[in-house]
Structure formats: structure tokens, C-alpha cells
Amino acid sequence: MTLRACIDIGGTKVSVSLNDPVRGLELLAHQYAPTARTGDNDALARQVVTMVDAACAQLGVEPMVVQDAGVAAPGPFVLGPGGIELATPNICGALAGGDARLPNDWRTATLEGPLRRRFARVRVENDGIAALEAERHWGALQDIDHCAYVTWSTGVGCGLCVGGVVLRGKQGNAGHLGHTFVSDDTQAVCGCGNVGDLESLVGGNSIHKRFGESASTLMARAVAGDAKALQLVDELCRVMGRALYDITVLLDLQRISLGGSVFLHNQELLLPRLVDQLRGRLPAMTDGCELVPAGLGDRVGDYAALALVG
Ligand SMILES: [Zn+2]
């Protein structure tokens, strides 16, 4: 028996499940835990190994039957001596632009190195890239060679594919769409320290900071017909839609699959407004590009790590 570990690391929680290749897409023995943030900077990697062991115990199998680990993790990544380490501001307390209240002084969290000591095969990818791979395997981007997956959630990120090749970049960080420049006419300060990044204007956290209410409350008021809320939603979609336009014309894309909690919970409201930002603008390039909801819906995250070991 051979099982594969599907590991999804987020800023607030880690989820681990196992997959038996003969049982298709089924994810077994789900384990969830708050992301480790204390101790040495290998604490997160050790947490992942412990959670895989717990999943094996739940299934009544020996931990050593798991030798493949797919890991979807938030960037940015840096390459250390053992491979990919996380330099994620909401995990590592010593990073500029990070949360000063974090209970650690990590500059990075080691990940790939410790995991390679436990598993025979390890693949770590940025969560946007991993989700793109899942959408290309099983979702809305199957057989599409020029495409992107964009998540609109607490933050904003994406995975990009051109000519059938998923773009990774020099350290696996390609697709940090949330940290691209949108406007300097704003006080919006991004988690990375920049002013006017996409994420600082439309990310779920930023919506709360800018407008004093959660994205879901704002969207609900807009759906109910509140004129002021509709105006704010129009403005959010103008900014987000232009970012989608940017990647469409930069890469000559055929299709963009959209996910993330802000988008998925409000897609009837948001999708037509985002499409409006592409239609009629440089139609030679945008006419041939579709915006569609993620085919895997809110399960993109679950399958992202599986796509890395599939
Ligand atoms: Zn930024």
C-alpha cells in the first residue's frame, strides 16, 4: 500500500489529508491545526510530519507507507541550503512588513529540507501555482494552454501557464499578482510595505480596513440594492478587473479561472463586473479570453496539494 500526503499550508491553518492513488480523488483522514508559529524555524515542517503521522494513525496504517508529499504553501519562497523555505510575512515574525505580534523571530520557516528527510519525494509549490495545477487537471482549465488561476480572497494571488508550461520563476514565486502596482493615489498600505498594491486595495483584509466592514457584509448590502455598497463593489471590480486585463494582455491568455472566498461567495455580483473590465478593451486580445469561476469551486484548495503528487 502506498499513500500520498496532501499538505495545504495557510497563514492561519494547516490541513493534511492522505490520498490512495487507486481511489482517485478521494481525500482521506483530514487533519487540521493552527499554523505553528512558535519554537525553532523548523516548527512548521515538524508540525506537518506530525500531522501526516496522525492521519496515518487515523487510517490504521504505518507512517512509512507515505513517501510522497505535495505541499501547497503561501509565498514568497526563498531557496535555502535544504530547498524551499517560506518567507511569508504572516508566518515569520522577523520580516519587514510582517505582523509584529507574531510569537517568533523567524526570518524564514524551513520546509522542503526537513520534509525531504522524512519523505522520498517532495514537491512544494506556491498555493497559486498548486491551485492552477488542480484546475488544469480536474477543473475549468483542462486542455487550456494559455491560462491563469486567480484567487480573490484575504489576499490576491495567481498561477500562470503559457504554452502549456506553468510559470514558476527563479524561486517558485511567479504569480504574486497581489503585489503588483495599481495606484499611487491611495493611502492603502500593503502587507509587503508598498503603497497601492492590488492586494492592499481589494484583498479581503483590505476591504475590511478601508470600508470598516467585511467583504461579505459589503457584498450582501450590494446584492440587496444599497447604492453606496454597489458603488464600492463597482470600484473594487474596476481595480480587480484591470488586474485581470493586465495579465490577459501580458500573456495573451485564453481563459482565467477565478476562485477564493471573496469571489466564490459573490460570483453572481462580481463576475459580470469583472468581465466588463475586459470587454471592448483591446478586443484583439481580450475577445478571446474568458473569465470563468473555478471548476473545482471552493475545493480548489483541497485538490491543490493533490495535483502536486498526481
Ligand atoms: Zn504588496
Side-chain angles (χ1 to χ4, degrees):
M1 179 187 222
T2 308
L3 299 177
R4 312 183 291 195
C6 306
I7 298 150
D8 185 24
I9 296 175
T12 53
K13 80 170 176 15
V14 176
S15 76
V16 167
S17 54
L18 301 178
N19 171 258
D20 182 344
V22 302
R23 289 171 70 173
L25 294 184
E26 199 177 352
L27 297 172
L28 310 164
H30 282 278
Q31 308 286 319
Y32 300 97
T35 306
R37 297 156 185 265
T38 55
D40 293 335
N41 79 332
D42 65 348
L44 178 58
R46 289 194 288 116
Q47 174 184 37
V48 165
V49 171
T50 302
M51 290 173 74
V52 171
D53 289 350
C56 290
Q58 190 180 326
L59 288 184
V61 299
E62 285 297 317
M64 285 303 126
V65 303
V66 181
Q67 288 300 329
D68 293 84
V71 186
F77 297 164
V78 293
L79 289 180
I84 289 168
E85 303 180 2
L86 306 187
T88 311
N90 59 359
I91 293 177
C92 301
L95 291 180
D99 186 338
R101 294 165 300 180
L102 284 169
N104 68 62
D105 61 355
W106 305 342
R107 301 196 59 80
T108 66
T110 59
L111 187 62
E112 188 174 359
L115 294 184
R116 284 197 180 282
R117 290 196 283 279
R118 160 63 181 82
F119 301 100
R121 290 165 294 277
V122 177
R123 185 172 169 207
V124 181
E125 292 287 2
N126 177 283
D127 43 19
I129 291 175
L132 169 80
E133 299 249 9
E135 280 287 281
R136 282 176 52 75
H137 274 88
W138 307 295
L141 300 175
Q142 296 176 60
D143 305 315
I144 306 289
D145 279 348
H146 315 285
C147 61
Y149 169 77
V150 174
T151 176
W152 184 359
S153 185
T154 310
V156 176
C158 77
L160 301 161
C161 177
V162 178
V165 176
V166 173
L167 306 184
R168 297 189 71 261
K170 65 186 186 299
Q171 299 187 107
N173 290 319
H176 272 67
L177 181 64
H179 300 289
T180 53
F181 175 76
V182 178
S183 166
D184 56 7
D185 183 24
T186 175
Q187 292 303 301
V189 179
C190 190
C192 73
N194 284 343
V195 170
D197 281 2
L198 176 63
E199 185 169 302
S200 71
L201 287 162
V202 308
N205 275 351
S206 307
I207 290 172
H208 199 279
K209 228 186 285 176
R210 293 176 71 199
F211 306 137
E213 60 186 341
S214 69
S216 54
T217 307
L218 172 68
M219 305 283 170
R221 287 201 300 116
V223 168
D226 182 293
K228 176 72 178 151
L230 273 167
Q231 192 189 343
L232 294 178
V233 168
D234 283 344
E235 174 57 18
L236 290 170
C237 287
R238 189 182 71 85
V239 172
M240 187 66 182
R242 287 305 293 268
L244 299 178
Y245 169 93
D246 287 348
I247 59 172
T248 300
V249 300
L250 274 173
L251 299 174
D252 201 7
L253 298 180
Q254 283 170 280
R255 188 180 293 172
I256 299 174
S257 153
L258 293 156
S261 58
V262 171
F263 176 78
L264 289 173
H265 295 160
N266 306 284
Q267 51 183 287
E268 295 80 9
L269 181 68
L270 301 176
L271 186 57
R273 288 170 168 78
L274 296 173
V275 169
D276 279 349
Q277 297 301 322
L278 262 72
R279 288 295 157 260
R281 298 179 187 201
L282 214 54
M285 299 187 77
T286 57
D287 275 359
C289 185
E290 296 175 276
L291 302 185
V292 301
L296 293 169
D298 59 8
R299 305 210 62 193
V300 175
D302 287 341
Y303 291 117
L306 179 59
L308 303 178
V309 287

